[in-house]
Amino acid sequence: MLRLGLYQRYLMREVLAAVGLVLAAFLALFGFFDFIDELRNVGKADYGVAQALLFVSLSMPGLVYELIPIATLIGTLYALSTLARHSEITVLRASGLATRDLLLTLFRVAGLLALLTLLVGEALVPWSERVAQELKARALSRVIAQQGFGSGIWVKDGKSFINIRSATPDARLEQVRIYRFDAENALQSVTDAATAEYDAQHGWQLHEVVRTALAGESARVERAASEWWQSAVTPDLLSVLMVSPERMSLFGLVNYTRHLAENRQKTGRYEIALWKKLLYPLTALVMVALALPFGYSHDRVGGVSLKIFAGVMLGIVFYALNGLFSNLGVINAWPPFASAAAPSALFMLAAAGMLWWVERR
């Protein structure tokens, strides 16, 4: 920072302050709405106001990760519009500041914000999301679950302990082992199933079942092609114990994608999420480039409010396109990189076109 020119430090300070203010406002707004949404669960089982507040607090890193690009766009728009309203941009340009130099200064700001996005997305979001969902699951249900062991997911359901080696988002379990205990905590039986599929009416259907029943000092082995298993464990419960692909770390995405590929399963959703994790921090660069043309206008009355409104609309469009292209990529089997990069590429083209038009004027 000491090597930067005076105008560069001034611009960076103004833009970072505006982005920080917008991000704080968004976090307060979305955090309030999330808390209101969680109030419908307050009073169920052991879920109280304290648990709701803790859940919302743990969800904040995820909001920071998602909102940094939009806050960058709106904050940069606000800072540049304010400088233009006070004719500071005009003075800088009259002093010989080229658009390229101004854009490079904004890219320095975007680089810091991109680094922040990467750190939050890798260091905080996967952990906080998993802890938040496990906290909510424990408070809302008597079923207690924990994941992260090398042996898979362990679930307690009444007097039974269930070990699930892997669970997929399409309500399919693999390598299920159920330990049943009696009222005196003596082991009654051990049931192994190769796979399990969920039906909303009947529960879980176990396939390739092998049960070892214990009675005193004797044991009896029973086999069945399939059977139904009633349990409080549901796909909804398991899903909250598994961080969504968009909230997983790069390391976790790479490992799970490799696991799916080795088992000849579809990897499109996770490959798109992987590319989005790599490209998402760079959207801050796109946002400052998109905001720069607005700094060259000189509206003194109502201009700032209008530009902030335009920034909000552009942010909503970007967020919608980001989700749209991800879903279309999964449905139509588009190349993962193209699906993840398309929204940012479209906005960068729009920014380049607007800068060219401003320079022509």
Side-chain angles (χ1 to χ4, degrees):
M1 291 291 289
L2 295 176
R3 289 187 174 185
L4 297 175
L6 179 61
Y7 82 91
Q8 291 174 317
R9 293 198 298 271
Y10 176 67
L11 285 174
M12 292 179 68
R13 184 174 66 248
E14 291 296 313
V15 173
L16 285 173
V19 172
L21 180 63
V22 172
L23 183 60
F26 272 143
L27 289 177
L29 181 63
F30 282 91
F32 175 75
F33 286 142
D34 286 346
F35 178 70
I36 294 298
D37 186 61
E38 287 302 312
L39 288 179
R40 63 181 179 177
N41 294 319
V42 171
K44 297 180 182 179
D46 297 325
Y47 197 72
V49 175
Q51 285 77 14
L53 284 171
L54 184 56
F55 176 80
V56 172
S57 300
L58 289 169
S59 301
M60 284 296 168
L63 284 176
V64 171
Y65 179 78
E66 291 182 353
L67 293 173
I68 283 179
I70 300 175
T72 300
L73 173 62
I74 298 175
T76 306
L77 276 173
Y78 175 79
L80 293 179
S81 299
T82 302
L83 293 174
R85 187 166 177 258
H86 297 156
S87 300
E88 293 175 87
I89 296 291
T90 303
V91 171
L92 288 173
R93 297 196 71 192
S95 302
L97 179 65
T99 300
R100 179 178 61 87
D101 297 329
L102 182 55
L103 184 60
L104 289 176
T105 301
L106 293 178
F107 277 167
R108 288 189 175 95
V109 177
L112 295 175
L113 295 171
L115 180 60
L116 175 62
T117 304
L118 181 63
L119 292 176
V120 171
E122 289 301 299
L124 288 180
V125 173
W127 173 82
S128 66
E129 188 73 11
R130 178 175 59 82
V131 172
Q133 298 295 350
E134 289 180 358
L135 169 73
K136 188 173 182 179
R138 288 193 183 98
L140 287 176
S141 175
R142 295 181 182 274
V143 180
I144 301 175
Q146 176 71 40
Q147 75 173 51
F149 297 105
S151 57
I153 302 173
W154 286 89
V155 184
K156 181 178 182 297
D157 179 14
K159 287 294 183 178
S160 298
F161 286 85
I162 303 103
N163 175 229
I164 303 167
R165 291 289 296 183
S166 61
T168 60
D170 56 353
R172 178 182 173 87
L173 309 180
E174 297 176 356
Q175 299 182 37
V176 181
R177 173 169 290 182
I178 306 166
Y179 299 87
R180 286 192 175 92
F181 293 83
D182 59 21
E184 298 178 359
N185 295 325
L187 183 62
Q188 278 187 327
S189 65
V190 179
T191 303
D192 289 286
T195 59
E197 297 175 351
Y198 188 74
D199 182 274
Q201 294 182 346
H202 301 93
W204 293 96
Q205 186 175 22
L206 305 178
H207 299 280
E208 300 179 31
V209 182
V210 178
R211 178 181 296 104
T212 303
L214 304 175
E217 297 181 357
S218 63
R220 184 180 70 258
V221 178
E222 304 171 351
R223 300 178 184 273
S226 65
E227 67 177 41
W228 291 102
W229 170 46
Q230 297 293 332
S231 173
V233 178
T234 64
D236 290 337
L237 178 65
L238 292 174
S239 66
V240 301
L241 300 175
M242 300 172 63
V243 179
S244 64
E246 292 74 19
R247 299 291 179 89
M248 293 173 67
S249 65
L250 283 172
F251 181 76
L253 280 170
V254 170
N255 284 341
Y256 193 66
T257 303
R258 185 185 297 116
H259 167 76
L260 293 177
E262 290 174 352
N263 289 275
R264 299 181 181 180
Q265 299 181 32
K266 294 182 179 179
T267 60
R269 180 187 178 191
Y270 294 90
E271 289 182 358
I272 291 174
L274 177 60
W275 280 110
K276 285 180 67 175
K277 289 285 290 187
L278 291 171
L279 296 175
Y280 195 70
L282 301 180
T283 55
L285 302 173
V286 179
M287 294 306 175
V288 297
L290 191 63
L292 180 56
F294 291 89
Y296 285 159
S297 58
H298 306 281
D299 301 323
R300 293 184 177 272
V301 180
V304 176
S305 301
L306 183 61
K307 291 168 189 174
I308 291 176
F309 176 76
V312 172
M313 292 295 100
L314 287 172
I316 292 174
V317 171
F318 176 79
Y319 187 82
L321 286 178
N322 215 21
L324 176 64
F325 275 90
S326 296
N327 293 328
L328 289 177
V330 174
I331 294 171
N332 299 315
W334 290 348
F337 176 78
S339 301
S344 297
L346 289 175
F347 270 60
M348 182 57 82
L349 288 175
M354 293 172 64
L355 285 172
W356 175 82
W357 181 72
V358 167
E359 283 296 293
R360 289 276 303 215
R361 292 182 60 191

